[in-house]
Structure formats: C-alpha cells, structure tokens
Amino acid sequence: MNKVSSAVRATHLPTGLMVQVMDTRSQLQNREIAVLRLEEQLMALERLQKAAAENQRWKEQIAIERGNSKRIFFGSKFKEL
C-alpha cells in the first residue's frame, strides 16, 4: 500500500461507472490511468449495447412471417392456389 494517499476515483456521471486507481505514488499519473481505464469501460459498455441491439434486430428478422402473400392472382393463365 502506498504511504502517501494518492488514490484517485474517477466517475462517469451519465452512466455511473466508477474507477479507483492507486497504482503509483503520483496523483497525476493515477488520474491519467483512471481516465484511460474509464474510457476502456465506456467503450466496452458501448460494444455490449451495440451487440445487444444487433442481436435484437436479428431476432426481429427471424420472427418475420414468411409466405403470407400480399397479392393473390386469379385467372386462367395463373396456377391454381
């Protein structure tokens, strides 16, 4: 544990994500590391949200009913239904 209290806690207010860093003795370096880690977490969260949206679109595409025709043609030149 560090002898000097140089830990830094960074919070992203819109999402509530929080990172606490106490790797080095320098508070400035800890702050830079905390911001980088927070950016990584935000990017990971964004990737998860995009994957969930893509999965939802895929499920909606599969749920489309096929074979329900909109137009039905009758007549001697068309095949019998």
Side-chain angles (χ1 to χ4, degrees), residues 9-20:
R9 180 180 297 142
T11 305
H12 186 252
L13 295 177
T15 60
L17 289 176
M18 184 180 68
V19 176
Q20 185 173 359

Side-chain angles (χ1 to χ4, degrees), residues 3-46:
K3 294 180 181 179
V4 178
S5 177
S6 60
V8 174
R9 180 180 297 142
T11 305
H12 186 252
L13 295 177
T15 60
L17 289 176
M18 184 180 68
V19 176
Q20 185 173 359
V21 178
M22 53 183 145
D23 293 347
T24 64
R25 286 184 155 183
S26 170
Q27 192 172 18
L28 181 62
Q29 288 177 349
N30 281 341
R31 189 179 81 192
E32 291 172 355
I33 294 169
V35 169
L36 290 174
R37 288 184 184 171
L38 192 59
E39 286 175 0
E40 289 173 1
Q41 283 190 359
L42 287 171
M43 289 172 56
L45 180 65
E46 184 179 342

